[in-house]
Amino acid sequence: LRLPRRAQHTLARAQHTLASLPARVRIYELGARDGLQNEQRIVDAATKIELIHRLARMGASSVETTSFVSARAVPQMADCEAVMAGVEQREGTDYPVLVLNLKGFERAKAAGARSIAVMAVPSVTFARKNNNCTPAETVERAATVAAAANAAGMRVRGYVSCALGCPFEGAMEPAAVADLAEGLQAAGCHEVCLADTIGTGTPGSMRSLLLELLPRVPSDQLAVHCHDTYGQALANIYEALQHGVSVIDSSVAGLGGWPF
C-alpha cells in the first residue's frame, strides 16, 4: 500500500518528532505538597501519609512529601513533622520536601529528610510580596540552603517559580529566568525545575525560554512544572520534551494551585 504524498510527508514529520523525544520520562509527583497546599479544608496527617504511600506504590520516582514553611502562611503544611515521621520510605523512591530558608532546612533535616527543594523567583513584585526580597536575593537564600544541604549529603532541587508568567508582572523575560536557573545550578542544585506557577505559559513561551536556557543548563538537569489553568499544560510539556527535558512534574487528580 502506497500512501499519498501528503500523508507520506505527515508520517515522516511525525516519525522525526518521535525520534527527537526522550526515550524515558521520570515523573516527579507533587500531589501531597503542591496539590494539597491550596486546599481550604485541612487534611489530616494520616490521610496525607496514606496518599504519599499510594503515590509511591504507583511508581513515581519522586514524591514531594511536604514543606517546612510557616504554618501561619500555609496552614495545610503545619503537620510536616508528623507527616515525615509517618511515611514509610520505599527503596528507590525519593521523598523531597520544600524549604525556603535555613530555619526550614534545619527542621527538615531534624525530621529525617534526605532531599530538599528550594525556590527562586524572577519577578520583582512577586519576590517582594511573597519573600520580602529581590529576585537576586531569592537565589542567594536558595544557595545558602543548598550549601547546607549538600554539606549534609542531601540532594537539592531548585524551582524557578513564575518561570513563564507572574500574576503581577505578566510574562517573564527568558534571559532573567535563565539567569536564576543557572544560579541555582551553580549553587549546587542537581536539578532545576521551570515552574509555570499560574499556568499562563504557552508552547511559544516555553520554547523561547528553553532556547535561551539550554546553552547554559543542559536538558538532563532540567524539569518542567506546568499548571493547566488555561489548558496549556500538555502542550507545554510536549514542547519541553522536544527539547530533551525528560523530568515532568505531576499532581494526582489535577490538585494544586498557588496558595497566596
Side-chain angles (χ1 to χ4, degrees):
L1 176 64
R2 183 175 178 83
L3 295 173
R5 181 168 298 179
R6 179 176 294 180
Q8 291 180 36
H9 290 167
T10 301
L11 179 60
R13 286 197 301 270
Q15 290 173 333
H16 174 76
T17 299
L18 289 173
S20 70
L21 298 179
R24 185 178 181 85
V25 168
R26 179 164 65 86
I27 298 299
Y28 185 105
E29 169 60 37
L30 286 123
R33 197 277 297 172
D34 191 28
L36 293 180
Q37 69 180 7
N38 199 41
E39 293 295 312
Q40 296 302 307
R41 179 180 176 182
I42 299 299
V43 179
D44 63 88
T47 300
K48 292 174 182 173
I49 292 165
E50 177 60 22
L51 172 62
I52 292 163
H53 288 163
R54 293 190 183 195
L55 291 170
R57 291 197 299 269
M58 175 189 73
S61 60
S62 298
V63 180
E64 194 164 295
T65 303
T66 187
S67 59
F68 286 80
V69 295
S70 166
R72 180 166 41 184
V74 190
Q76 190 67 256
M77 300 291 113
D79 57 1
C80 50
E81 279 91 357
V83 170
M84 285 297 293
V87 170
E88 297 178 8
Q89 299 194 19
R90 291 165 57 94
E91 184 176 352
T93 304
D94 189 27
Y95 297 85
V97 300
L98 178 68
V99 300
L100 300 181
N101 51 42
L102 280 174
K103 180 179 179 180
F105 167 72
E106 293 298 338
R107 290 175 62 200
K109 181 180 175 183
R114 301 173 188 171
S115 61
I116 65 165
V118 296
M119 185 177 295
V121 185
S123 163
V124 173
T125 308
F126 194 98
R128 185 176 69 249
K129 286 180 176 288
N130 288 278
N131 305 91
N132 194 31
C133 63
T134 66
E137 287 170 337
T138 66
V139 177
E140 292 170 7
R141 292 180 183 182
T144 301
V145 176
N150 285 323
M154 299 165 69
R155 286 168 62 81
V156 185
R157 175 187 238 218
Y159 288 104
V160 180
S161 186
C162 298
L164 297 179
C166 166
F168 308 109
E169 298 179 10
M172 295 286 95
E173 285 295 328
V177 177
D179 286 345
L180 266 63
E182 188 175 29
L184 289 172
Q185 183 203 39
C189 294
H190 75 279
E191 182 174 276
V192 177
C193 180
L194 308 173
D196 185 17
T197 308
I198 60 171
T200 55
T202 65
S205 60
M206 177 67 81
R207 184 183 311 115
S208 296
L209 174 55
L210 290 171
L211 290 175
E212 177 73 34
L213 179 58
L214 285 172
R216 302 161 69 174
V217 179
S219 61
D220 61 1
Q221 294 181 28
L222 294 175
V224 291
H225 176 112
C226 301
H227 285 221
D228 201 35
T229 313
Y230 300 99
Q232 294 295 298
L234 289 178
N236 292 338
I237 290 169
Y238 184 58
E239 184 65 37
L241 289 170
Q242 291 181 86
H243 286 82
V245 178
S246 61
V247 181
I248 309 299
D249 286 8
S250 65
S251 182
V252 63
L255 291 171
W258 189 250
F260 304 112

